[in-house]
Amino acid sequence: MHKSSLVASAEYPTDPEGLSHMGVVVRRAWYKLLSSDARVHLLSGAIAATVSNTIVAPLDVIRLNIMVSETPLSALTVIKQVNAQNGIAGFWRGNSADVARAAPASAIRFYAFAAYKAKLSAATVLPMALQGAASISLIAGGFAGMTAMMACFPLESVRTRMAQVADKDKRNLFMYTANVWRTEGFQALYRGLTPSLISVLPYFAVRFGLY
């Protein structure tokens, strides 16, 4: 073998695990993921929800504790209570559940909106008054919001519980969910689903209609 080849082999040894090939496969899979319109909706929605929810998590913790408190609380009082009980990390308590809920919910919502909109645009059963682009976006947005809520509601329930100052359970997301299921039954994870569906229908109809 030529000397230069021996030197090159010594400096850059052959990858026995096939990691280079694996890298090519991963890059191809990633490109294929991004080349699909449907998957772009899923990925974009998930990333947007993860980033935005993590940033506003402290404000959401304060809001939830004010809402569920039996006595009137100011935002400053809640901030002091959260910091005293759990430190700075307490402002992100329940964020894992929130992201686990919001990321798939947002992904489903954006994908469902595109799917419903395409189906409704091609449908002939809608009255003429509802066949305009704005009307179709309103209907598709409402259905998309309800679809995502139904799919991810158990995580919404767990996230709301974990964010409360009064709840001192230190289990992680999965153990917390399993404990609720074991002690209160599966139906406890869907408590409040009906009013939630009613509320998200007009909310996401208007949101996607304007979008």
Side-chain angles (χ1 to χ4, degrees):
M1 185 181 292
H2 194 275
K3 183 177 180 180
S4 60
S5 298
L6 291 173
V7 172
S9 298
E11 293 179 352
Y12 305 100
T14 303
D15 183 359
E17 303 296 331
L19 294 178
S20 297
H21 175 68
M22 185 183 297
V24 173
V25 171
V26 170
R27 285 194 296 272
R28 287 177 179 173
W30 182 251
Y31 176 78
K32 185 177 180 181
L33 174 70
L34 295 180
S35 65
S36 167
D37 287 341
R39 290 170 182 173
V40 166
H41 286 300
L42 291 169
L43 189 61
S44 299
I47 292 174
T50 300
V51 174
S52 60
N53 282 53
T54 301
I55 291 174
V56 303
L59 295 176
D60 211 31
V61 167
I62 296 170
R63 177 185 67 85
L64 285 172
N65 280 284
I66 291 175
M67 288 176 59
V68 302
S69 175
E70 295 180 357
T71 58
L73 291 176
S74 66
L76 183 59
T77 301
V78 173
I79 292 172
K80 290 179 179 178
Q81 288 181 350
V82 172
N83 187 60
Q85 292 187 18
N86 300 299
I88 296 298
F91 292 98
W92 279 269
R93 185 168 185 259
N95 187 57
S96 59
D98 195 24
V99 170
R101 171 201 62 86
S106 182
I108 293 170
R109 197 178 299 122
F110 274 89
Y111 173 73
F113 173 71
Y116 284 134
K117 188 175 181 180
K119 292 292 184 181
L120 290 170
S121 297
T124 58
V125 296
L126 291 176
M128 287 297 297
L130 297 179
Q131 291 183 8
S135 298
I136 289 176
S137 292
L138 283 169
I139 298 170
F143 286 166
M146 293 179 71
T147 301
M149 177 62 73
M150 290 177 66
C152 302
F153 192 77
L155 290 170
E156 174 74 23
S157 297
V158 173
R159 166 254 189 174
T160 302
R161 291 176 181 229
M162 291 182 70
Q164 296 177 31
V165 173
D167 191 339
K168 298 180 172 57
D169 195 323
K170 302 299 183 182
R171 293 181 177 91
N172 62 33
L173 169 62
F174 300 104
M175 295 299 294
Y176 194 105
T177 305
N179 182 61
V180 172
W181 189 338
R182 184 175 60 255
T183 58
E184 301 180 39
F186 180 72
Q187 68 277 5
L189 296 173
Y190 282 92
R191 191 176 297 141
L193 175 62
T194 300
S196 296
L197 289 176
I198 294 172
S199 67
V200 299
L201 176 60
Y203 175 79
F204 283 106
V206 173
R207 181 172 171 179
F208 278 102
L210 293 175
Y211 170 76

